Amino acid sequence: MNLGGNTVLITGGATGIGLALAARFLQAGSTVIAMGRRADVLQQAQQQLPGLHTRVCDVASAEERTALRDWATREFPGLNVLVNNAGVQRRLQVADEEAWSERQAEIAINFEAPVHLAGLFVPHLRQQAGAAIINVTSGLAFTPPTFAPIYGATKAALHSFTIALRHQLRDTSIEVLEIVPPAVNTDLGGTGLHTFGVPVNEFADSVMARLAAGELEVGFGTSEERRLASRAELDAATAAMNSRFS
Ligand SMILES: NC(=O)c1ccc[n+]([C@@H]2O[C@H](COP(=O)([O-])OP(=O)(O)OC[C@H]3O[C@@H](n4cnc5c(N)ncnc54)[C@H](OP(=O)(O)O)[C@@H]3O)[C@@H](O)[C@H]2O)c1
């Protein structure tokens, strides 16, 4: 895909990976709209990246997703790239007692939202040149994490959906791309939980360069190994990772 000349909507675009992608699209000459739930965080992102447009929206809500589509296509009729990046990661034991709404929200943010937003935006994107939907999954889509079982399942589901969507849209102007991050040093799951991850800028430089070169599914480091691994290699990587958490 071309990184410049687009109008790009990034869910969760004010922090972490989303912010790093926003910076690179802006740098390449695209218009970028970042959205998320926290107005103050969106404002900070705008200060960091002059020219960034922002919108408060909770992608866990179907009504807000529809309102986002209506607003974005009205205000930015040339919008041609949707990046489904917003996500949360909750560490839990399945037998823990907690309200079902907590688990439902993780599924809604990580999986329902990208599926719903794809359906909402495809009719608009079909009319645009150089259109793309970019889904941000995870290396954990390939190696189920016992410490975050719902998270891993949502990412595996999103990986599967991305491949199916790419096939369905193969004869349209819309490219369907997937970014598969490894552990990246962001605040995902809470401050300090991912400090062991790779630096976000190094990761973003690599994946964006590869998308620009025409690749459809890109990982980095361990997630690149995992997305290409055999079943035996995946089983070994899953066992090694999960042994650190049991
Ligand atoms: N960091 C990693 O190690 C890693 C590894 C693999 C995959 N990923 C994936 O990369 C993506 C970005 O995560 P990150 O690492 O950059 O973490 P992050 O900094 O916590 O970013 C998550 C973003 O999603 C937004 N968000 C969460 N819930 C939302 C909701 N209901 N509605 C709208 N926005 C929402 C957050 O903003 P608000 O809280 O303001 O809404 C935040 O900007 C996620 O999909 C994550 O699963 C990350």
Side-chain angles (χ1 to χ4, degrees):
M1 75 174 297
N2 285 327
L3 302 186
N6 302 304
T7 302
V8 185
L9 174 65
I10 306 181
T11 70
T15 67
I17 292 171
L19 183 65
L21 300 182
R24 281 150 185 81
F25 274 119
L26 278 170
Q27 175 70 28
S30 289
T31 297
V32 181
I33 310 123
M35 55 73 59
R37 292 167 298 185
R38 292 168 294 169
D40 56 330
V41 174
L42 287 164
Q43 260 173 18
Q44 285 164 22
Q46 224 167 16
Q47 282 161 9
Q48 207 175 318
L49 300 179
L52 182 72
H53 299 272
T54 61
R55 180 76 176 174
V56 173
C57 172
D58 182 351
V59 295
S61 154
E63 290 72 25
E64 292 198 29
R65 297 191 291 255
T66 303
L68 176 69
R69 187 276 313 268
D70 293 346
W71 172 84
T73 53
R74 188 178 62 243
E75 297 296 320
F76 297 91
L79 193 147
N80 67 333
V81 179
L82 168 68
V83 184
N84 283 308
N85 165 75
V88 293
Q89 184 187 84
R90 300 175 64 247
R91 297 186 177 198
L92 59 91
Q93 294 293 313
V94 175
D96 288 348
E97 278 198 32
E98 63 171 349
W100 168 240
S101 56
E102 299 288 334
R103 294 178 185 190
Q104 205 169 26
E106 185 171 15
I107 297 167
I109 295 165
N110 292 1
F111 183 59
E112 258 183 53
V115 171
H116 190 192
L117 289 171
L120 287 169
F121 277 92
V122 160
H124 174 84
L125 294 177
R126 270 182 196 279
Q127 311 302 320
Q128 313 300 319
I133 295 175
I134 305 176
N135 290 334
V136 179
T137 62
S138 170
L140 297 180
F142 302 87
T143 50
T146 54
F147 57 90
I150 297 172
Y151 178 83
T154 61
K155 294 299 186 178
L158 185 57
H159 169 66
S160 168
F161 178 74
T162 302
I163 292 171
L165 184 66
R166 181 180 299 137
H167 185 78
Q168 284 200 356
L169 298 181
R170 68 192 181 282
D171 295 328
T172 73
S173 64
I174 310 172
E175 272 192 321
V176 180
L177 309 174
E178 181 175 349
I179 295 176
V180 186
V184 180
N185 187 0
T186 69
D187 286 344
L188 184 71
T191 309
L193 286 181
H194 280 89
T195 49
F196 65 94
V198 299
V200 67
N201 286 326
E202 199 181 313
F203 161 75
D205 281 341
S206 170
V207 294
M208 291 294 267
R210 289 175 61 191
L211 292 184
E215 290 189 62
L216 300 178
E217 182 186 302
V218 294
F220 184 83
T222 56
S223 67
E224 181 69 3
E225 287 166 17
R226 289 179 191 188
R227 77 179 186 88
L228 299 171
S230 69
R231 178 60 192 266
E233 289 166 334
L234 287 177
D235 286 347
T238 303
M241 174 181 72
N242 288 328
S243 69
R244 295 197 291 275
F245 290 91
S246 53

